[in-house]
Amino acid sequence: MALDLAFELMMLLTSGCALLVSAWLFWRARRRRSMKALAGFGVMMALWCAGHVAVFHGWERLGIALILANPLMPTFFLDFAVGFVNQGPGHTPWLDRLARHRGLLYLAAVLVSGVTLWFGGGGIIAFGPFDHYFVFQGSGWFNIGYTISVGVLAHTLLLWGFTRHRGNRKRSIAAMFAAGAWGLWLATSFIFPSLGLLWYPWPMLLLPSYVLLLVYGVVRYQMLEVNAWANRALLWTLLTLLVLGLIALFSAMAGSFGMQALANVPQWQLWLYSMLLLLLMLALYRPLNKLVERLIYPGSRLDEQLLDTWLARLRDAAGWQELAREAEQLLSRQMGQSVRVRLLAEPPLPEPGPGLQLWCLHQPGGWQFRLLGFDDVTPGMRLTADVFASLLATRCGLLERSLQLAEAERKRLSEQHLVELGGLAAAMAHELRNPLNIIAMATAGLEASRKTMIQHQLQRADRLISDMLAYAGQLQIQRRPVALAPLLDSLQSQFDWQQARFDYRLPPGFTLQADPYRLQQVLVNLIDNALAFVRNQEGGRLLLEAGDRPGSLCLHNNGPAIPADLRDRLFRPFVTRRSGGSGLGLAIVQRIMDAHGGQIRHSAELGWPVSFELYFPEEHTP
């Protein structure tokens, strides 16, 4: 192939690549002015290359005008650099002012181009394989000097931005510098004939790579689809080089194998045929790929729009039931038949039922999926189910973490509320007990009956204050083994039994892992609450016995059964059926059991009208 023709083809290829990339950038830029300026740089690169082609074909005035317009090329790049650097943490006022006066930069570039064109800044010479080649003359050196100065200014600005930015923007600037060094080396050979060095500009044959590398370096960290395109482009480039190398080797060895006719074919023709064949393969790849997918996976209709729809619908589900219901609707619609979706967070696993089922299981390594009943579906439908199940498993993991964060935040706010409530309760208790003490001292001179009545009410008020402090305050639990029988014996003298009978049945040496003071508080509240209903009842009885598992107790009484409408809210504060009660006794017991990591629940199924089951774990559960 003639060297002048090779140079012309590279200029045309560079121009075409620059126009295509610029059009794509302008389409994707939307409101990002910096990307539009980079698209303008690409357009000027295309015109500059077109100017060389015009010179080759004898259109000298047009070609010289396009080449001498090259100051606009670095001006567009400077405009891009200003916008690219002046974003995020690198935003500065002086760059804002420069951006507002960018019009002056373009005006200066146009004036330099016009003046050098008017004063004949370029000429045409013949050397080597070229009959027409552009060289700078006279004022043209001012043109190239201005162009280089603006380019240096743009790269200096990028270097300053490199020190200010982090992350992907910093990586983009580094990639631009690497592409700029590559472009500088390529363009240097273009200047040599103007300096009297009549060397063939070999590096200029690689000029198409410059604009592609520059734009790719900018957008590879900004637009993910560019990386997918670059992956395919690099693959096809390597495949092309491999094919061309094999063709050259085969052509050189064809004569040795008796294929003289093939050996006589010019190598460039073989390369041209190979390139045409590769381009044909590239054009047919996507339709053939879709055809093969339909043959191998009939019935499969997966595409990016469908996957985006699935992700959006699954992302909108705020709970497990809603997620399972949404997943069933999406998969059943896609499969054309009913599919049951089950989200199983804990074993044991249920028995599989009939029909198609998708199970998402919570495993130690994360959420996994299992397809049941899919043995007889087509490969395409199985592929659809596999892809959907993978998305659903991922969404289950994200929802689990989201709910955990929400629960942690709820607990934090609850604990903060309790701290505030505890502080308020302590302040109120102090303010209330002062007037109560004054009232108690004022009863000293009253007659006995009236004094007794007032003292009884004062004790009730003091007990109510103590209950409020116990419920609202911070619970500090210090667990240790507590022998229960001696504790019960010491407590019996504190109650007014009024002929009610109290018994306990405990194994010898029975102990609980609990805070002694809080355990006493639990027993006092439960026994006092039961006595309020059985002490005036004939044959009233309380029984405390060990439960079926270690650390468990059952406190029974034969008082009236608790109404069904009260059982669900029995442990809430200020819920009581006891005359004169504060409604905080059982709520305090619930808080103490929670602080131990234990449980308390009411039962009417243990042979007694009222039973409370308590469980203190052997080890502390936070």
Side-chain angles (χ1 to χ4, degrees):
M1 180 182 295
L3 292 178
D4 60 338
L5 179 59
F7 188 87
E8 182 179 355
L9 287 177
M10 289 303 102
M11 291 296 100
L12 288 173
L13 182 59
T14 303
S15 182
C17 290
L19 286 176
L20 288 175
V21 169
S22 298
W24 180 81
L25 274 176
F26 194 85
W27 172 62
R28 290 303 307 267
R30 297 173 185 162
R31 298 182 180 179
R32 298 167 66 181
R33 178 177 176 82
S34 61
M35 290 301 175
K36 291 182 178 179
L38 187 60
F41 169 82
V43 170
M44 291 310 302
M45 171 72 77
L47 294 177
W48 186 82
C49 293
H52 286 281
V53 176
V55 168
F56 293 157
H57 289 276
W59 302 329
E60 296 181 0
R61 294 182 62 83
L62 175 61
I64 292 174
L66 292 176
I67 294 174
L68 289 178
N70 61 356
L72 283 168
M73 198 173 355
T75 303
F76 273 108
F77 190 77
L78 177 60
D79 189 3
F80 158 75
V82 170
F84 191 81
V85 170
N86 197 29
Q87 295 182 18
H91 186 85
T92 52
W94 67 270
L95 283 178
D96 287 335
R97 292 193 295 272
L98 182 59
R100 287 195 297 269
H101 295 89
R102 62 171 63 91
L104 296 177
L105 297 174
Y106 288 106
L107 178 60
V110 171
L111 289 175
V112 170
S113 300
V115 169
T116 52
L117 178 63
W118 179 265
F119 288 101
I124 307 299
I125 65 171
F127 80 95
F130 300 105
D131 294 328
H132 302 82
Y133 191 90
F134 174 86
V135 291
F136 289 101
Q137 298 173 349
S139 62
W141 291 107
F142 174 72
N143 182 291
I144 193 64
Y146 180 86
T147 300
I148 294 174
S149 300
V150 176
V152 169
L153 176 61
H155 284 80
T156 302
L157 180 59
L158 288 176
L159 182 61
W160 179 81
F162 182 84
T163 64
R164 303 268 298 180
H165 287 285
R166 297 183 181 276
N168 284 340
R169 194 165 295 275
K170 187 171 186 175
R171 299 186 187 100
S172 294
I173 293 174
M176 279 186 270
F177 262 93
W182 175 251
L184 177 63
W185 180 75
L186 297 180
T188 301
S189 62
F190 162 70
I191 302 294
F192 287 159
S194 300
L195 298 173
L197 304 174
L198 302 180
W199 300 339
Y200 183 84
W202 292 103
M204 293 284 286
L205 299 181
L206 299 176
L207 193 60
S209 63
Y210 167 62
V211 65
L212 295 178
L213 289 175
L214 176 63
V215 174
Y216 179 59
V218 174
V219 301
R220 70 163 299 185
Y221 300 106
Q222 317 293 326
M223 304 175 184
L224 293 179
E225 64 269 26
V226 155
N227 295 289
W229 175 87
N231 181 72
R232 292 193 297 269
L234 182 59
L235 176 63
W236 280 97
T237 300
L238 294 177
L239 182 61
T240 300
L241 294 176
L242 178 62
V243 169
L244 294 180
L246 290 175
I247 289 296
L249 179 63
F250 185 69
S251 175
M253 300 179 61
S256 302
F257 292 101
M259 295 181 285
Q260 193 62 40
L262 182 60
N264 294 332
V265 177
Q267 198 170 84
W268 69 269
Q269 291 186 11
L270 293 177
W271 283 349
L272 180 60
Y273 298 151
S274 300
M275 289 292 294
L276 292 176
L277 182 60
L278 284 173
L279 290 175
L280 180 62
M281 292 171 58
L282 180 61
L284 295 178
Y285 172 76
R286 292 184 67 87
L288 289 177
N289 185 50
K290 290 184 178 180
L291 176 62
V292 170
E293 284 185 354
R294 295 199 176 190
L295 292 176
I296 301 299
Y297 299 110
S300 177
R301 300 184 299 276
L302 296 176
D303 53 40
E304 291 185 8
Q305 183 177 1
L306 178 62
L307 295 179
D308 289 342
T309 301
W310 283 352
L311 287 172
R313 295 283 294 275
L314 294 176
R315 193 183 302 118
D316 290 341
W320 296 111
Q321 293 184 353
E322 184 180 354
L323 180 60
R325 183 170 59 253
E326 191 67 43
E328 281 188 358
Q329 293 177 358
L330 291 173
L331 187 55
S332 298
R333 184 183 305 117
Q334 190 67 21
M335 299 288 292
Q337 54 184 306
S338 177
V339 181
R340 186 179 182 188
V341 175
R342 306 188 72 174
L343 309 180
L344 305 170
E346 297 179 357
L349 299 180
E351 288 294 327
L356 302 180
Q357 297 186 53
L358 165 58
W359 289 6
C360 270
L361 313 173
H362 187 268
Q363 303 290 344
W367 285 85
Q368 307 292 331
F369 66 86
R370 185 181 300 175
L371 296 174
L372 305 175
F374 282 79
D375 297 334
D376 294 331
V377 301
T378 63
M381 302 306 286
R382 176 61 185 250
L383 175 64
T384 299
D386 276 331
V387 173
F388 182 86
S390 178
L391 294 177
L392 180 59
T394 301
R395 177 56 188 155
C396 286
L398 294 175
L399 179 60
E400 180 184 28
R401 287 191 287 274
S402 175
L403 294 177
Q404 288 173 349
L405 291 174
E407 179 64 17
E409 179 65 12
R410 186 193 66 79
K411 288 183 178 180
R412 186 189 68 80
L413 293 176
S414 177
E415 291 174 357
Q416 180 181 352
H417 175 70
L418 287 176
V419 170
E420 294 172 352
L421 183 61
L424 177 62
M428 291 185 62
H430 176 74
E431 294 299 326
L432 288 173
R433 275 177 169 157
N434 285 335
L436 291 179
N437 291 333
I438 295 174
I439 294 173
M441 290 186 292
T443 62
L446 297 179
E447 59 186 47
S449 59
R450 181 167 296 182
K451 180 179 179 180
T452 300
M453 180 187 67
I454 294 176
Q455 290 289 346
H456 177 73
Q457 295 299 323
L458 289 174
Q459 291 173 2
R460 179 188 172 197
D462 187 70
R463 186 168 60 250
L464 180 60
I465 292 172
S466 298
D467 286 348
M468 183 175 64
L469 285 173
Y471 179 76
Q474 291 277 358
L475 292 182
Q476 300 294 332
I477 301 298
Q478 298 179 355
R479 293 161 55 92
R480 62 173 182 264
V482 180
L484 193 58
L487 177 62
L488 293 172
D489 293 336
S490 67
L491 291 179
Q492 293 197 42
S493 61
Q494 298 185 21
F495 298 100
D496 180 14
W497 297 101
Q498 294 185 8
Q499 300 180 351
R501 178 182 170 187
F502 174 73
D503 297 308
Y504 60 84
R505 298 175 185 168
L506 300 172
F510 183 84
T511 61
L512 292 174
Q513 291 288 334
D515 183 298
Y517 172 72
R518 297 301 181 183
L519 176 60
Q520 176 178 326
Q521 198 172 5
V522 166
L523 295 174
V524 167
N525 279 6
L526 289 176
I527 293 174
D528 185 63
N529 187 68
L531 280 176
F533 297 99
V534 301
R535 66 162 54 100
N536 295 320
Q537 174 180 310
E538 184 178 354
R541 186 182 176 199
L542 288 83
L543 174 64
L544 180 69
E545 61 180 355
D548 296 334
R549 57 176 175 167
S552 62
L553 293 174
C554 293
L555 179 62
H556 313 284
N557 72 75
N558 61 351
I562 297 176
D565 62 338
L566 197 61
R567 294 175 186 173
D568 292 339
R569 48 195 181 94
L570 194 59
F571 297 99
R572 296 179 186 175
F574 309 115
V575 174
T576 183
R577 62 190 184 113
R578 171 184 171 185
S579 176
S582 66
L584 289 173
L586 292 181
I588 293 171
V589 171
Q590 174 84 67
R591 280 209 66 204
I592 294 174
M593 296 304 296
D594 288 344
H596 280 82
Q599 298 173 347
I600 181 173
R601 73 182 188 93
H602 164 265
S603 176
E605 301 173 356
L606 299 179
W608 291 74
V610 179
S611 298
F612 287 97
E613 297 179 275
L614 298 94
Y615 170 65
F616 291 85
E618 293 297 312
E619 295 184 359
H620 178 51
T621 303

